[in-house]
Amino acid sequence: MNRGRRVVFLQMFLAFGSLIAALIAFFVIPSVGWRAAFLIGAIPALYTIYLRIGLPETPRYRNLPKRLTLRQSFAKTWSKGISRRSTVTWTLWFTMNYAYYGLFTWLPTIMAHKGYSLVHSIGYVLIMTLAQVPGYLTAAWLVEKWGRKKTLVMAIFLSALASLGFGFATSTSTLILFGLLISYFMLGSWAGTYLFTVEQYPTAVRATGMGWSAGFGRIGGVLAPTFTGWLLGAKVGFPIIFGIFFAVLLLGALIVGVFGIETKGKQLE
């Protein structure tokens, strides 16, 4: 009954990790340097060793009568009745990765371009990061009240508006305000993205569908920081740069809103 809420609570720990990372950046980089911050960030990766050894498979997957090969699983995600879902989820993940990594990779630099020092820029980003946890908590409540699709579309649309507002902001207060709104709505969007995606696929290909959607999204995660950096180097105005983020997010919201399938209250296949 609370399947969606539990998935969102799990994802909420991403926000805690982001907050810790921002604290490390704020306190460690100015005094010790960025290399020490990277070293600290690498330590939690050791936890994956325990996950590989100690994390059990899900009961649904264990009870499957037949396991598909990698090729069969991928073909199934683009078979009749599922290909539309894959088109939606691949587009969704590209949109989210493009906006998230394009925005958050360059936020400290953008703040510096607007005249703030590196330390102040990191401090402002830390403040903005604080809004991520409430974003997850709101999504956790809404996915069971409104539904996965409606919550996701609304969060992406509001993320687009917040991004546009940040691009036109001039004062410190408006920069922080729209930065907080970006964090709040963007992380609410991420919560909906994970939940929406995993519920689109039947158990036999759920991991494959999720993995390929997320993998395709990484293309956006690579393109956005590179393209945004090029635009900044070319002295393109912030309204145009953030207008691009607005357009990409708006397209993602439109695709999910028109072609996405609601799964709230439905038995998973």
Side-chain angles (χ1 to χ4, degrees):
M1 183 170 60
N2 293 319
R3 182 179 66 221
R5 190 164 297 161
R6 292 174 185 272
V7 172
V8 174
F9 282 152
L10 175 65
Q11 281 302 119
M12 188 171 65
F13 280 83
L14 173 65
F16 291 134
S18 298
L19 182 59
I20 293 173
L23 287 170
I24 291 171
F26 184 74
F27 290 107
V28 174
I29 291 179
S31 58
V32 184
W34 64 269
R35 288 181 176 84
F38 269 64
L39 178 61
I40 296 172
I43 294 174
L46 298 174
Y47 182 57
T48 58
I49 299 174
Y50 167 77
L51 294 178
R52 178 64 181 87
I53 298 173
L55 194 65
E57 291 286 357
T58 64
R60 280 180 176 270
Y61 186 78
R62 289 200 305 267
N63 293 331
L64 284 175
K66 180 183 177 181
R67 306 284 176 86
L68 302 179
T69 65
L70 180 61
R71 179 178 295 182
Q72 290 172 332
S73 295
F74 180 76
K76 182 72 173 177
T77 62
W78 289 98
S79 62
K80 184 178 180 180
I82 303 181
S83 58
R84 169 181 161 181
R85 305 182 191 188
S86 293
T87 301
V88 172
T89 57
W90 283 40
T91 304
L92 169 63
W93 276 83
F94 181 91
T95 297
M96 290 301 301
N97 275 273
Y98 187 97
Y100 181 83
Y101 287 103
L103 286 167
F104 283 89
T105 298
W106 285 101
L107 270 182
T109 303
I110 291 171
M111 296 293 289
H113 271 264
K114 287 180 175 285
Y116 301 95
S117 68
L118 177 61
V119 174
H120 282 149
S121 298
I122 295 175
Y124 289 140
V125 173
L126 173 59
I127 293 173
M128 296 172 192
T129 305
L130 293 174
Q132 294 184 3
V133 174
Y136 273 116
L137 290 173
T138 304
W141 180 68
L142 289 177
V143 292
E144 299 293 357
K145 292 291 183 180
W146 282 1
R148 286 75 159 121
K149 177 178 169 180
K150 187 174 182 179
T151 300
L152 176 58
V153 170
M154 183 62 67
I156 296 176
F157 176 69
L158 293 175
S159 296
L161 292 180
S163 301
L164 194 63
F166 191 92
F168 284 93
T170 54
S171 66
T172 300
S173 59
T174 53
L175 283 170
I176 293 177
L177 172 62
F178 284 109
L180 287 169
L181 291 175
I182 288 174
S183 290
Y184 179 81
F185 291 121
M186 185 65 72
L187 272 296
S189 300
W190 268 122
T193 295
Y194 276 89
L195 176 60
F196 178 83
T197 303
V198 297
E199 292 187 345
Q200 295 300 303
Y201 296 97
T203 301
V205 296
R206 183 163 294 127
T208 301
M210 179 72 184
W212 276 95
S213 298
F216 182 77
R218 295 302 178 186
I219 298 175
V222 172
L223 287 177
T226 305
F227 184 51
T228 302
W230 179 82
L231 292 175
L232 288 169
K235 309 298 182 183
V236 175
F238 292 116
I240 295 178
I241 292 175
F242 283 87
I244 294 172
F245 289 123
F246 170 79
V248 170
L249 286 167
L250 200 61
L251 176 63
L254 182 64
I255 294 296
V256 175
V258 174
F259 300 105
I261 298 173
E262 177 60 65
T263 54
K264 176 181 177 293
K266 295 183 179 179
Q267 181 74 21
L268 293 182
E269 299 173 53

